[in-house]
Amino acid sequence: MEEHRHVTIYDIAERLNLATSTISRALKDHHTISEKTIKLVKQTAKEMGFVPNTLAAGLRGNKSRTIGILIPTVTQPFLSSLISGIEIAAQKSEYSVLIMQSHDSYEMEVNLAKSLYSNRVSGVICSLAMETKDTSHFHQFSNNNIPLVFVDRVPRDYDTFRVVINNYLAGYKATKHLIEQGCKRIAHLTAGSEFGTLYNERKRGYMDALLENELPVDEKLIINLKEMTYEDGVKACNQLFDLKPRPDGLFAPGDILAVSAVQTAKKRGIKIPEEFAVIGFNDDPISKIIEPNISTITHPAEKMGKAAAELIIKNLKSAKEEDDAKEITFLNTQVLVRESSKRI
């Protein structure tokens, strides 16, 4: 069987008896090539099944027209929606995306960042791994004028683009809602290192809402998780339910944790929301499926993805240093009140 071979500009040049440089320019609509020749070359290329080697072209120009996406996982609904937003904006400007998952491992994030750099990506969009406490592995992009945008999980101090929500305000809103429903002992699950801002800001909003309503901040009601998994949520909630007196409300920074809280409470015979009110975060599909439905905070993931990609593309198109603000903050998070917390 004859081995399949990709059609090249050399094959087109041989068929039309033209120079390869003429073929290359014609395919790019170069002004030095006549319209007649451009039409002939493009028609022949189409008939022969020619596909431009964008990677090779990118390597020659040190640009791949590819945006690298480095995220903890693609399985979380928020992150999959984020990717969707990035792809929509990238495709609109004829960029492709390369997706890599750190699985919340700092070591893996470091290695994947090196891989993205070696693949000569045009720009990078990253949501930090849970374990990350140092961002020096991103200097390879910043030092070589490769646009870098942090989204959602962002470092405290790094002079580059960021796309975030107001996590402090969102945490405040969630906790205030539970207080308005009559909760007095509100627990909170948090996560990540002190290096990042996302969970720390939600926790700060939670604490301020308590203090402003003259409720104590009880450290026993605040549990720091290593991972944002269902299993970790169950373990944390059992720990909370063993307390005396036990909490009567919970602000969970993710809907999967809210689900674990609801199901753990039901197994222990704790009535929701009468004895234990729960609010999650992200408005994941699961929040509407579980019984009772889970109250949550909206999170504009797709819009954040589009904004991040547009920052990359705008920066690539600009020949000079942009004076635009380095941070885009989405303020339109809302409390969606459902059965898991609605007492009044």
Side-chain angles (χ1 to χ4, degrees):
M1 182 181 291
E2 184 179 345
E3 185 178 349
H4 175 73
R5 188 175 70 85
H6 293 291
V7 176
T8 68
I9 62 171
Y10 297 97
D11 299 317
I12 302 171
E14 183 178 356
R15 175 173 290 193
L16 297 177
N17 196 25
L18 293 171
T20 53
S21 59
T22 301
I23 302 299
S24 178
R25 288 173 183 162
L27 290 170
K28 297 175 184 176
D29 296 313
H30 200 277
H31 65 89
T32 60
I33 308 299
S34 69
E35 289 186 17
K36 181 180 178 181
T37 302
I38 289 174
K39 185 176 180 180
L40 175 63
V41 169
K42 288 189 173 182
Q43 181 61 36
T44 304
K46 184 178 180 181
E47 292 171 357
M48 296 178 70
F50 172 75
V51 178
N53 189 336
T54 54
L55 177 59
L59 294 178
R60 287 193 296 273
N62 206 32
K63 293 179 181 178
S64 63
R65 292 195 70 83
T66 300
I67 297 174
I69 304 174
L70 180 48
I71 57 175
T73 177
V74 298
T75 58
Q76 289 183 18
F78 168 78
L79 290 170
S80 60
S81 294
L82 182 81
I83 292 170
S84 177
I86 294 169
E87 284 191 317
I88 288 169
Q91 290 170 5
K92 188 176 180 180
S93 295
E94 298 182 340
Y95 280 80
S96 58
V97 299
L98 177 60
I99 304 167
M100 295 190 174
Q101 304 177 79
S102 68
H103 297 287
D104 275 323
S105 162
Y106 168 71
E107 184 179 354
M108 190 172 290
E109 184 179 272
V110 170
N111 291 331
L112 293 177
K114 290 178 182 177
S115 179
L116 287 173
Y117 182 74
S118 66
N119 274 278
R120 288 182 169 89
V121 292
S122 298
V124 175
I125 297 171
C126 177
S127 184
L128 292 173
M130 198 82 77
E131 293 181 356
T132 299
K133 296 183 180 180
D134 171 70
T135 51
S136 59
H137 49 295
F138 291 104
H139 292 168
Q140 58 195 318
F141 304 112
S142 304
N143 294 341
N144 289 282
N145 298 316
I146 298 171
L148 170 65
V149 180
F150 287 110
V151 181
D152 199 47
R153 293 188 192 173
V154 303
R156 286 187 181 278
D157 300 306
Y158 198 111
D159 186 25
T160 191
F161 299 106
R162 304 158 171 261
V163 177
V164 294
I165 61 167
N166 188 322
N167 283 289
Y168 168 82
L169 184 59
Y172 181 92
K173 286 179 182 178
T175 309
K176 185 72 182 296
H177 165 68
L178 293 176
I179 294 170
E180 290 170 347
Q181 300 305 302
C183 296
K184 301 294 185 184
R185 281 179 55 79
I186 302 171
H188 178 51
L189 305 182
T190 187
S193 67
E194 291 301 311
F195 180 75
T197 63
L198 185 154
Y199 298 112
N200 293 308
E201 284 298 287
R202 292 179 191 175
K203 178 182 174 182
R204 194 166 68 87
Y206 153 82
M207 293 172 70
D208 279 359
L210 293 179
L211 293 173
E212 286 182 19
N213 288 274
E214 300 181 347
L215 293 175
V217 175
D218 186 345
E219 290 298 329
K220 292 180 181 178
L221 297 179
I222 302 173
I223 298 181
N224 197 343
L225 305 178
K226 289 186 177 180
E227 294 184 65
M228 295 274 289
T229 65
Y230 177 87
E231 291 74 19
D232 283 300
V234 169
K235 184 177 179 181
C237 288
N238 275 318
Q239 184 178 330
L240 289 170
F241 293 145
D242 285 340
L243 294 174
K244 294 182 180 180
R246 68 183 181 219
D248 59 1
L250 172 71
F251 165 39
D255 285 334
I256 191 63
L257 298 177
V259 168
S260 68
V262 166
Q263 294 192 327
T264 304
K266 288 168 73 175
K267 285 181 180 177
R268 295 181 66 141
I270 299 170
K271 295 179 181 179
I272 297 174
E274 294 86 356
E275 297 177 304
F276 185 67
V278 179
I279 186 167
F281 210 103
N282 291 341
D283 191 24
D284 291 342
I286 196 171
S287 67
K288 295 185 281 285
I289 296 170
I290 189 172
E291 182 65 35
N293 294 169
I294 292 176
S295 297
T296 188
I297 301 291
T298 59
H299 204 168
E302 188 171 298
K303 288 182 180 179
M304 293 171 73
K306 287 180 182 178
E310 286 166 358
L311 276 174
I312 294 277
I313 294 162
K314 182 178 181 181
N315 192 262
L316 288 168
K317 288 180 178 178
S318 176
K320 60 183 177 63
E321 188 71 23
E322 290 290 344
D323 294 325
D324 294 345
K326 284 290 180 78
E327 180 165 299
I328 295 177
T329 303
F330 287 85
L331 300 174
N332 58 336
T333 55
Q334 297 178 346
V335 178
L336 295 182
V337 180
R338 297 187 180 125
E339 298 166 354
S340 69
S341 67
K342 190 174 183 180
R343 291 176 172 178
I344 300 172

